[in-house]
């Protein structure tokens, strides 16, 4: 009885901390773009730059797991000097809503992205995806090839080689345990380990100064966002098992950028394997770079994206 009382007290305290903490996080990091209704779910986008020629395909940026649009803002601002750029919060992350498990797979998120395109009048775009966003971008190129002017994948997970990564998230996404954990203990426990976790995702580089605050990373710790992220990752291995058989069908001009020291997504088993599967794909391996190439070498990444975008526009004309 005493043990149950202690557990109940801990969970109750965690629930209060999570409720108050979530509200403070949202107040500190409000949406900086606009939200669009897609199938009853509000999706958050940020639009930067402007191009008078409506025939020029904009650049759409999709962030990775555990992130939101702010992780790609610096990259977007550099590209916006010469392009229309659209940052998209993936379903369940940042300020976009998700529909439980039905919007967790890259294919489902690609379908939502197509609806976003329709709502904002984008017929075709240069689609750029980092990490999990790369899996979504690849799914989009496969399922809606007429909407992709060019495809850019940064440190993308592309093949079924992620069982260790997905095992923990399968537990965190479990219907009862995951729901309870996300609403009681996830925020207070994860907040304590957040900085080391972020540093681990950048290795061997270090995060930019002020990254956690500037990129609104704590938005992930809200219960719904935490669960959505867990569901995304938990199903990724099985999804990539199916998608990997289709890569030869990618028709868009494709650029794949990876760091040779990426310890989260193996360059050899993912980026290099993908480059071998997509006809005429261009692979760029950045020496000494980990899982965050857009932070480690933003000048090179911007130049590569602009080069591909320019060549894609020339072919389209």
């Amino acid at each position: 009885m005493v043990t149950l009382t202690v557990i109940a007290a801990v969970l109750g305290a965690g629930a209060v901390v999570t409720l108050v903490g979530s509200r403070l996080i949202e107040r500190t990091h409000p949406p900086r773009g606009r939200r669009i209704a897609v199938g009853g779910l509000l999706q958050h986008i940020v639009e930067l730059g402007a191009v008078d020629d409506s025939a020029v395909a904009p650049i759409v940026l999709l962030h990775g797991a555990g992130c939101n649009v702010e992780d790609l803002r610096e990259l977007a601002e550099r590209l916006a000097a010469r392009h229309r750029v659209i940052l998209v919060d993936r379903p369940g992350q940042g300020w976009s809503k998700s529909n439980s498990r039905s919007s967790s797979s890259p294919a489902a998120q690609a379908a939502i992205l197509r609806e976003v395109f329709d709502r904002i009048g984008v017929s075709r775009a240069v689609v750029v995806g980092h990490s999990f966003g790369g899996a979504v971008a690849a799914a989009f190129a496969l399922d809606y090839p007429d909407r992709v002017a060019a495809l850019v994948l940064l440190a993308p997970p592309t093949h079924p080689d992620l069982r260790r990564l997905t095992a923990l998230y399968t537990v965190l996404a479990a219907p009862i345990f995951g729901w309870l954990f996300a609403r009681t203990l996830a925020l207070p426990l994860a907040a304590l380990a957040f900085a080391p976790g972020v540093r681990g995702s950048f290795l061997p580089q270090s995060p930019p100064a002020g990254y956690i605050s500037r990129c609104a990373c704590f938005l992930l710790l809200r219960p719904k966002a935490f669960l959505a992220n867990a569901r995304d990752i938990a199903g990724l291995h099985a999804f990539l098992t199916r998608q990997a058989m289709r890569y030869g069908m990618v028709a868009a001009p494709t650029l794949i950028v990876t760091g040779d020291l990426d310890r989260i997504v193996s360059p050899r088993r993912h980026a290099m394997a993908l480059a071998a599967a997509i006809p005429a794909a261009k692979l760029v391996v950045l020496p000494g770079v980990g899982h965050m190439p857009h932070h480690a070498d933003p000048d090179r990444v911007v130049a590569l994206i602009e080069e591909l975008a320019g060549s894609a526009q020339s072919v389209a004309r």
Side-chain angles (χ1 to χ4, degrees), residues 10-22 100 172 174-188 221-228 231:
V10 170
L11 293 179
V16 172
V17 170
T18 298
L19 179 62
V20 174
S22 295
S100 188
L172 296 177
I176 297 175
F177 175 80
W179 186 95
L180 183 63
F181 183 75
R183 285 163 174 76
T184 56
L185 300 179
L187 190 153
L221 302 186
R222 298 168 300 163
K224 290 183 178 179
F226 185 89
L227 270 177
R231 290 167 181 153

Side-chain angles (χ1 to χ4, degrees), residues 22-33:
S22 295
R23 291 180 177 175
L24 289 174
I25 290 168
E26 291 187 340
R27 184 177 300 177
T28 304
H29 303 291
R32 298 176 66 185

Side-chain angles (χ1 to χ4, degrees), residues 66-290:
C67 299
N68 60 78
V69 294
E70 298 304 325
D71 175 67
L72 294 171
R73 182 175 286 272
E74 181 183 353
L75 183 66
E77 289 176 344
R78 289 171 179 252
L79 291 167
R82 287 173 289 277
H83 305 270
R84 179 189 177 194
V85 180
I86 303 165
L87 292 149
V88 180
D89 268 333
R90 292 189 298 98
Q93 301 306 305
W95 285 96
S96 287
K97 300 297 183 181
S98 69
N99 187 16
S100 188
R101 297 178 184 276
S102 63
S103 56
S104 63
S105 79
Q109 296 186 16
I112 292 172
L113 180 63
R114 179 182 61 83
E115 293 293 330
V116 170
F117 275 30
D118 291 343
R119 295 288 190 277
I120 63 177
V122 171
S123 58
R124 297 172 75 244
V126 176
V127 181
V128 180
H130 169 245
S131 194
F132 190 98
V136 177
F140 190 84
L142 286 165
D143 293 344
Y144 312 104
D146 59 322
R147 310 300 292 268
V148 180
L151 179 66
V152 181
L153 306 176
L154 308 176
T158 58
H159 288 73
D161 175 52
L162 300 165
R163 287 196 183 279
R164 290 185 180 179
L165 178 63
T166 59
L168 171 62
Y169 288 95
T170 299
V171 175
L172 296 177
I176 297 175
F177 175 80
W179 186 95
L180 183 63
F181 183 75
R183 285 163 174 76
T184 56
L185 300 179
L187 190 153
L189 291 180
L192 296 174
F194 211 76
V198 170
R199 285 197 296 272
S201 67
F202 275 82
L203 290 175
Q205 282 73 45
S206 297
Y211 174 82
I212 290 177
S213 175
R214 178 165 51 82
C215 293
C217 294
F218 277 1
L219 287 174
L220 172 66
L221 302 186
R222 298 168 300 163
K224 290 183 178 179
F226 185 89
L227 270 177
N229 185 63
R231 290 167 181 153
D232 286 355
I233 300 175
L236 187 58
H237 179 93
F239 176 82
L240 293 177
T241 300
R242 301 187 298 273
Q243 178 158 285
M245 297 183 290
R246 303 175 59 201
Y247 291 136
M249 299 170 59
V250 173
T254 301
L255 168 68
I256 307 162
V257 181
T258 186
D260 67 343
L261 297 182
D262 189 336
R263 297 295 181 260
I264 295 177
V265 176
S266 165
R268 180 176 61 84
R269 296 175 181 174
H270 295 272
M272 295 178 185
L274 179 65
I278 298 179
K282 178 180 180 180
L283 173 67
V284 176
V285 179
L286 300 178
V289 170

